[in-house]
């Protein structure tokens, strides 16, 4: 997918907006038992999505592989499922099926990205020196 870098960055900003709203609700309501869920939204949603997008931007060959779209879908769907489960754990104190299903899907998404990165051809671009003016 040619624009997957932009899609990942836009998705990352979506997670950031959700995390900020969630954090605002936490502070206003005093429901601090959701603090871990808030951190997971920021790290798994915002930070990881932004990093994936920036890596795609830095290594354009990754964008051209069909696996890139699959990896995006696996990771983001897994993140949604895992975070829903984590929020439920923070609400009830009990593990649940969403958490148990979402966690391995997120790990699979991360492993797919690692494979995508390691299996892509090395860049043939050589850096250019530009004189200072």
């Amino acid at each position: 997918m040619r624009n997957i870098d932009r899609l990942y960055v836009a998705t990352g900003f979506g997670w950031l907006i959700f995390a900020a709203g969630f954090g605002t609700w936490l502070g206003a309501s005093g429901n601090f038992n959701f603090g871990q869920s808030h951190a997971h939204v920021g790290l798994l949603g915002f930070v990881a999505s932004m990093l994936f997008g920036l890596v795609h931007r830095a290594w354009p060959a990754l964008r051209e592989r069909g696996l890139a779209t699959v990896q995006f879908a696996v990771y983001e769907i897994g993140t949604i499922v895992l975070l829903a489960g984590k929020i439920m754990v923070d609400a009830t104190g009990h593990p649940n099926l969403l958490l148990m299903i979402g966690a391995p899907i997120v790990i699979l998404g991360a492993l797919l990205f690692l494979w995508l990165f390691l299996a892509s051809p090395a860049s043939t671009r050589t850096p250019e020196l530009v004189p200072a003016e």
Side-chain angles (χ1 to χ4, degrees):
M1 174 185 283
R2 193 168 290 278
N3 291 324
I4 198 162
D5 55 336
R6 294 177 58 86
L7 182 60
Y8 254 127
V9 170
T11 302
F13 279 119
W15 283 116
L16 175 63
I17 292 164
F18 176 70
F22 191 33
T24 301
W25 174 78
L26 288 176
S29 68
N31 287 313
F32 298 114
N33 55 308
F34 290 97
Q36 289 184 10
S37 293
H38 172 64
H40 278 76
V41 170
L43 292 173
L44 290 176
F46 172 63
V47 174
S49 296
M50 293 296 274
L51 285 173
F52 288 154
L54 293 173
V55 169
H56 274 293
R57 177 63 61 106
W59 283 273
L62 286 132
R63 290 182 250 162
E64 305 302 324
R65 310 244 344 254
L67 183 61
T69 305
V70 172
Q71 185 276 328
F72 174 85
V74 168
Y75 182 81
E76 294 298 335
I77 289 168
T79 299
I80 291 167
V81 173
L82 184 144
L83 291 174
K86 179 62 180 134
I87 290 169
M88 289 171 62
V89 167
D90 286 351
T92 66
H94 302 293
N96 58 67
L97 191 59
L98 288 176
L99 187 67
M100 290 184 246
I101 291 171
I105 295 172
V106 168
I107 293 168
L108 176 61
L111 287 170
L112 286 173
F113 194 84
L114 177 63
W115 173 256
L116 188 67
F117 182 78
L118 294 176
S120 69
S123 176
T124 56
R125 246 181 22 184
T126 56
E128 298 177 23
L129 296 176
V130 179
E133 296 184 41

